[in-house]
């Protein structure tokens, strides 16, 4: 098959905000306990942080991590999670039906984030709590000193404020599964009041209002419009959440899910802009796609989990090769919307639907680790408006879909052009050409490929390198004409300098 990528260095989509390569740590399953923190483990440091996990998180180059939930946040009493560990209460945690010991909390997460080099995206509880608690938490985190909550932080050993800049106003408040879930109007009001208080205290913060918990929610559309109608002036971002799965084992249809994601993003942009127009608004509401991934492998086994355990194996999807391809396509989709998607969080980071898995004896990279790492390490610069002329196929769920997903990013500073591409064709390679005469003097630096004959191949602790990237020599640049081959079912990163 043959395809063409068309770019022009003057036709730009927008700068990449590195925060679109963010991730998520929730108090859920073994994400915290046994994932990033495990006191007494041979791989842990003196604070109990797993060093092997830390190394892999650093490799992923994660710029921002959302915390502490998720559904968990809607029952979270942040005061339980700070201060001397022996005085912290164990609590019943209703979202995931477990016991939360609070042995790891807000300040430990701030320490851990410092070590990984990532910022914190903090969520406040707007399910079972409200504006005053959110304001108190912000005062604890960001206020210099001389007040009750800022002095409490100091008394807990944290003299300097954590200075957290991005704040989520609750989580998935449209979902019946959420503690304290609300109608759009109820939520919009409380989000508006909470953000007002918080910004009065610290005008430097940004706030994220909850959009729908998925595009298929019955209230999708209405929810976004009504919520923003209430809190437009007080918020900076609207959130999107979406997970996909290959439940009917139809790989072509599964790989078409990125088209669903693209439609979702375009729809939410239209809704934000509709409210802007109605309000004669000056500012633009941008998007925070703060939960996205594949999630379905663990659904059945999770039904067997008995309630009121501590840190059970929960949501531990073992990702296969085809999942990595879809994750690659989802990253391309986020990048293609770089003008409006400013934050995105792969959900999640460790053990729970995650690129990194741990056991008591080690940590390893799941298949989805690689496209995520490539995007966050190489996806720097300005996204070029990338036109694709490629063969298409008919998918069961998403209609006509291109076999080729691709985006080009130009880093003018380092004079690097990066092409990310997924060939979704399960049978045939695709020969691709691109006119690069505007990029005089550039040469092909490398071409990384992730592929495997078995779409269901996985990485395990015993065989951690079953699916891993290799180098290709298929890319050429001669007299400004770029040509390459993207092998059947493959993720590709071509870098030119
Ligand atoms: O990421 C797992 C869960 O998915 C989160 O807690 C929730 O926000 C979503 O439904």
């Amino acid at each position: 098959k043959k395809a063409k990528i068309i770019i022009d260095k003057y036709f730009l989509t927008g700068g990449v905000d590195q925060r679109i390569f963010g991730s998520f740590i929730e108090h859920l399953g073994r994400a915290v306990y046994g994932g990033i923190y495990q006191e007494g483990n041979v791989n842990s440091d003196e604070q109990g942080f797993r060093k092997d996990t830390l190394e892999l998180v650093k490799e992923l180059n994660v710029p921002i991590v959302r915390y502490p939930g998720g559904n968990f946040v809607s029952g979270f009493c942040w005061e339980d999670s700070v201060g001397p560990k022996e005085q912290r209460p164990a609590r019943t945690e209703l979202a995931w039906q477990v016991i939360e010991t609070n042995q790891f909390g807000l300040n430990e997460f701030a320490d851990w984030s410092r070590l990984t080099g990532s910022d914190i995206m903090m969520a406040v509880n707007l399910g079972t709590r409200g504006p005053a608690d959110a304001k108190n938490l912000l005062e604890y985190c960001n206020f210099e000193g001389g007040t009750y909550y800022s002095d409490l932080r100091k008394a807990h050993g944290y003299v300097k404020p954590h200075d957290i800049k991005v704040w989520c106003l609750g989580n998935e408040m449209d979902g019946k599964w959420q503690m304290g879930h609300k109608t759009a109007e109820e939520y919009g009001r409380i989000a508006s009041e909470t953000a007002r208080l918080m910004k009065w205290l610290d005008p430097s913060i940004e706030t994220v209002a909850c959009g729908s918990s998925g595009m298929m929610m019955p209230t999708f559309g209405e929810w976004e419009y009504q919520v923003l109608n209430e809190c437009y002036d007080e918020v900076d971002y609207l959130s999107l959440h979406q997970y996909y799965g290959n439940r009917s084992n139809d790989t072509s249809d599964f790989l078409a899910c990125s088209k669903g994601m693209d439609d979702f993003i375009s729809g939410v942009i239209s809704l934000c802009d509709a409210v802007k127009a109605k309000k004669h608004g000056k500012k633009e509401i941008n998007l925070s796609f703060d939960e996205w991934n594949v999630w379905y492998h663990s659904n059945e086994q999770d039904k067997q989990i008995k309630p009121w355990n501590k840190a059970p194996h929960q949501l531990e999807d073992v990702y296969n090769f085809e999942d990595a391809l879809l994750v690659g396509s989802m990253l391309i989709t986020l990048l293609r919307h770089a003008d409006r998607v400013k934050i995105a969080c792969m959900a999640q980071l460790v053990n729970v639907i995650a690129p990194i898995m741990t056991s008591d004896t080690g940590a390893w990279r799941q298949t989805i680790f690689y496209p995520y790492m490539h995007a966050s390490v190489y996806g720097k610069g300005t996204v070029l408006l990338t036109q694709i002329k490629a063969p298409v196929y008919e998918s069961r769920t998403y209609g006509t879909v291109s076999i080729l997903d691709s985006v080009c990013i130009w880093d003018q500073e380092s004079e690097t052009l990066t092409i990310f591409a997924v060939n979704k064709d399960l049978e045939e390679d695709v020969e691709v050409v691109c006119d690069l005469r505007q990029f005089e003097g550039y040469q092909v630096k490398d071409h990384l490929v992730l592929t495997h004959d078995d779409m269901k191949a996985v990485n395990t602790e015993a065989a951690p390198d079953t699916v891993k990237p290799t180098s290709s020599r298929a890319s050429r640049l001669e007299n400004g004409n770029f040509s390459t081959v993207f092998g059947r079912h493959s993720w590709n990163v071509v870098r030119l300098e």
Side-chain angles (χ1 to χ4, degrees):
K1 289 188 174 155
K2 291 189 190 310
K4 205 176 198 177
I5 296 175
I6 303 158
I7 52 171
D8 185 304
K9 72 176 185 184
Y10 297 106
F11 290 2
L12 311 174
T13 298
V16 179
D17 188 322
Q18 284 300 301
R19 297 176 302 174
I20 69 169
F21 306 121
S23 191
F24 179 24
I25 285 284
E26 177 167 6
H27 279 253
L28 195 188
R30 297 188 308 122
V32 171
Y33 304 106
I36 64 174
Y37 171 83
Q38 194 170 10
E39 259 181 323
N41 185 277
V42 286
N43 293 308
S44 298
D45 67 11
E46 59 292 342
Q47 256 191 295
F49 299 148
R50 281 282 295 256
K51 288 183 281 186
D52 47 357
T53 306
L54 208 70
E55 283 317 304
L56 293 181
V57 174
K58 282 190 200 157
E59 207 176 304
L60 279 176
N61 194 36
V62 186
I64 191 163
V65 183
R66 186 166 169 249
Y67 178 83
N71 297 338
F72 171 84
V73 83
S74 295
F76 182 50
C77 289
W78 65 268
E79 300 88 335
D80 292 347
S81 84
V82 294
K85 285 190 180 180
E86 62 285 1
Q87 287 170 25
R88 297 185 197 171
R91 299 271 190 204
T92 49
E93 199 290 284
L94 299 187
W96 302 104
Q97 303 274 297
V98 292
I99 306 274
E100 171 57 54
T101 61
N102 284 305
Q103 290 305 292
F104 181 100
L106 168 57
N107 292 319
E108 288 79 29
F109 188 69
D111 287 340
W112 181 82
S113 300
R114 226 163 280 126
L115 292 176
T116 59
S118 46
D119 290 335
I120 300 172
M121 179 179 186
M122 190 75 196
V124 301
N125 175 355
L126 291 188
T128 56
R129 303 188 92 187
D133 308 299
K135 183 235 99 199
N136 295 344
L137 171 58
L138 177 65
E139 186 177 317
Y140 183 92
C141 291
N142 285 14
F143 210 71
E144 202 56 53
T147 65
Y148 179 78
Y149 287 108
S150 55
D151 286 346
L152 187 63
R153 182 197 67 240
K154 288 186 177 184
H156 292 158
Y158 293 83
V159 174
K160 279 199 171 156
H162 296 316
D163 201 21
I164 298 172
K165 293 296 184 203
V166 187
W167 292 80
C168 301
L169 303 166
N171 176 68
E172 296 191 346
M173 300 305 300
D174 59 333
K176 281 235 165 82
W177 59 87
Q178 201 69 219
M179 289 176 262
H181 90 284
K182 295 178 172 44
T183 64
E185 222 174 303
E186 286 166 350
Y187 170 68
R189 287 288 306 126
I190 197 173
S192 158
E193 290 306 320
T194 305
R196 246 154 38 94
L197 259 60
M198 293 176 77
K199 287 186 171 183
W200 281 344
L201 184 70
D202 183 351
S204 74
I205 64 163
E206 294 187 306
T207 54
V208 185
C210 294
S212 294
S213 349
M215 199 187 178
M216 300 321 284
M217 290 296 286
T219 48
F220 170 65
E222 282 293 322
W223 174 273
E224 279 71 7
Y225 193 89
Q226 286 188 26
V227 165
L228 282 184
N229 201 30
E230 296 293 342
C231 65
Y232 185 89
D233 290 333
E234 288 79 31
V235 304
D236 305 282
Y237 306 93
L238 188 66
S239 77
L240 298 83
H241 290 182
Q242 191 69 55
Y243 297 97
Y244 296 107
N246 188 6
R247 290 185 177 81
S248 46
N249 196 18
D250 178 344
T251 299
S252 296
D253 194 50
F254 175 62
L255 295 179
C257 289
S258 56
K259 170 117 187 314
M261 186 189 205
D262 188 64
D263 293 343
F264 188 17
I265 294 172
S266 302
V268 174
I269 292 171
S270 303
L271 289 159
C272 291
D273 292 349
V275 181
K276 179 185 178 203
K278 186 208 164 204
K279 288 186 174 282
H280 307 285
K282 295 271 177 291
K283 71 172 187 194
E284 224 158 44
I285 301 287
N286 284 319
L287 273 49
S288 170
F289 212 127
D290 46 46
E291 285 188 35
W292 67 269
N293 203 349
V294 173
W295 173 15
Y296 78 105
H297 297 285
S298 58
N299 292 168
E300 282 310 307
Q301 76 211 35
D302 282 356
K303 291 184 186 150
Q304 313 303 322
I305 298 174
K306 302 256 183 306
W308 314 125
N309 278 315
K310 290 176 191 159
H313 289 254
Q314 223 165 355
L315 277 67
E316 296 203 358
D317 275 41
V318 176
Y319 290 112
N320 58 32
F321 168 62
E322 67 185 17
D323 298 328
L325 283 187
L326 180 62
V327 161
S329 277
M330 290 170 92
L331 286 157
I332 289 171
T333 307
L334 291 169
L335 282 163
R336 290 177 68 92
H337 286 283
D339 53 334
R340 295 300 290 275
V341 180
K342 300 292 175 188
I343 304 176
C345 304
M346 175 188 260
Q348 300 189 5
L349 187 55
V350 185
N351 288 331
V352 171
I353 44 175
I356 299 169
M357 288 295 275
T358 70
S359 70
D360 285 346
T361 48
W364 62 99
R365 302 166 188 81
Q366 294 232 59
T367 59
I368 62 169
F369 183 99
Y370 293 106
Y372 179 31
M373 176 187 70
H374 291 156
S376 83
V377 172
Y378 301 126
K380 292 189 174 72
T382 305
V383 175
L384 300 173
L385 199 60
T386 310
Q387 301 275 9
I388 313 287
K389 298 268 176 247
V392 294
Y393 68 97
E394 286 307 309
S395 71
R396 211 165 28 87
T397 314
Y398 301 100
T400 309
V401 174
S402 171
I403 62 157
L404 184 66
D405 271 348
S406 185
V407 69
C408 301
I409 301 161
W410 184 29
D411 187 357
Q412 275 171 276
E413 226 170 84
S414 67
E415 297 194 80
T416 309
L417 182 69
T418 303
I419 306 172
F420 294 118
V422 170
N423 177 7
K424 299 181 177 183
D425 199 294
L426 300 179
E427 307 298 332
E428 290 182 47
D429 299 348
V430 59
E431 290 172 23
V432 178
V433 292
C434 182
D435 182 344
L436 291 185
R437 280 174 298 176
Q438 285 176 327
F439 297 87
E440 221 189 313
Y442 279 53
Q443 289 182 345
V444 175
K445 179 151 189 269
D446 55 25
H447 178 168
L448 299 169
V449 181
L450 189 72
T451 191
H452 201 282
D453 286 341
D454 178 4
M455 302 302 287
K456 310 293 183 192
V458 298
N459 292 341
T460 61
E461 186 171 20
D465 293 329
T466 307
V467 179
K468 69 169 190 185
T470 55
S471 273
S472 160
R473 297 166 72 88
S475 292
R476 306 220 172 299
L477 183 57
E478 276 158 19
N479 304 321
N481 294 312
F482 173 75
S483 64
T484 192
V485 177
F486 296 140
R488 65 181 186 141
H489 52 70
S490 63
W491 157 258
N492 301 267
V493 185
V494 183
R495 292 197 309 137
L496 303 111
E497 282 183 358

